[in-house]
Amino acid sequence: MDPQGPILMEGPVEVVLDDGTRVRSDGFRTAICTCRRSRTFAWCDTCHRPRERAVRSHRPARGPPH
């Protein structure tokens, strides 16, 4: 288990949230968020991954083929 990543569970999963709400996933494999950054908590949406800015290319735009 990666302490920075989700917990992967197989089969249907039911999670009881802090407020007592129950959420369920019927998927074959489910990623449960452990970082609490997910916008879809209790399910992982990969917010735990470091983000890198895309490097823009300074190539000139291509014209139509001749």
Side-chain angles (χ1 to χ4, degrees):
M1 183 170 99
D2 180 355
Q4 299 298 315
I7 297 172
L8 297 177
M9 304 286 294
E10 290 186 6
V13 176
E14 184 174 87
V15 176
V16 179
L17 302 177
D18 292 339
D19 66 359
T21 304
R22 293 178 183 267
V23 291
R24 181 176 172 89
S25 171
D26 293 318
F28 173 75
R29 184 169 293 136
T30 301
I32 298 178
C33 176
T34 60
C35 72
R36 293 193 168 269
R37 289 184 227 154
S38 175
R39 289 181 291 277
T40 59
F41 188 80
W43 317 126
C44 177
D45 67 1
T46 70
C47 280
H48 63 276
R49 293 183 184 166
R51 301 285 189 237
E52 293 184 20
R53 291 186 157 214
V55 177
R56 287 187 167 218
S57 168
H58 293 291
R59 286 184 257 161
R62 287 183 160 182
H66 294 274

